[in-house]
Amino acid sequence: MDLKLMAARIGRTLVAVSGALLALGVFQPIWAQSGGSISGRVVFVGNAPQAKKVKVTKDTQKCGSEISNEELIVSADRGIKNAVVSVAGVKGKPQGSPTLDQKGCVFAPHVVVVPTGGSLDVLNNDGILHNFHTHSSKNAVINKAQPGFKKKMTETFAQAEVIKVVCDAHSWMAAWVVVTDNKSAVSADGGGFKITDVPPGTHKVEVWHETLGKLTKDVTVKAGEEAKVTIELSKK
Ligand SMILES: [Cu+2]
């Protein structure tokens, strides 16, 4: 028998044996043990407020005449946008490098997650003067003008912290930089979120929203399954 034929026979035998072991439940395939996911919605309990409008008094050709205040965005079916859902003690990094754009005199996104020690690209797509000013206590305060010609600045955050960012040139501009090593997701329009690759077990899921505060919930994740949760927040 030549070597190729022998290798092929050994290969087939291995496949058959592992297949039989799988069928017997002797061992679990590795991909089934890699974790599950946590998904669901963050919802508002109570009378959902209307988003406030803010009159623009400056740079109106770039900013328009009115801006929606983004501190509490609740959809018609009560979903809360921009809540940060994270899994305590489970490390994870956001995909790609986080960016905070300034477009139409609004920070976008309104809430951005940055890993501890990681960097954030601060973009200026407006071509007018903005100012990136952080209100932090654990991290060094950043207060930098970003003139129209400066399309990008890169800032780093050494410590885990929830940081409010404002622009001193436009009083309505505000955003939040959430610095954490925990696996996190920011709830989308309608309040939906999903966190993948969570190890099996019972986890403390932490939720933060800028005006509704914090909440912790125990969530049990099973390998290969999606744990569905509804997180309810209300005004204090
Ligand atoms: Cu600005």
Side-chain angles (χ1 to χ4, degrees), residues 74-110:
V74 182
S75 66
D77 59 350
R78 297 179 180 274
I80 301 169
K81 191 182 181 182
N82 290 328
V84 179
V85 183
S86 52
V87 188
V90 177
K91 288 199 169 196
K93 281 194 193 307
Q95 286 183 333
S97 99
T99 60
L100 189 61
D101 200 354
Q102 295 162 102
K103 208 173 176 182
C105 307
V106 172
F107 285 113
H110 183 63

Side-chain angles (χ1 to χ4, degrees), residues 102 105 107 126 128-131 167-170 172-173:
Q102 295 162 102
C105 307
F107 285 113
D126 281 337
I128 58 171
L129 174 72
H130 286 299
N131 159 252
C167 166
D168 297 314
H170 305 102
W172 60 85
M173 286 180 72

Side-chain angles (χ1 to χ4, degrees), residues 24-42:
L24 289 169
V26 172
F27 64 82
Q28 290 270 308
I30 288 163
W31 59 89
Q33 291 178 332
S34 62
S37 60
I38 301 173
S39 70
R41 287 180 80 216
V42 184

Side-chain angles (χ1 to χ4, degrees), residues 182-197:
N182 291 341
K183 256 186 176 292
S184 306
V186 181
S187 63
D189 258 326
F193 69 90
K194 183 166 182 176
I195 302 170
T196 55
D197 299 322

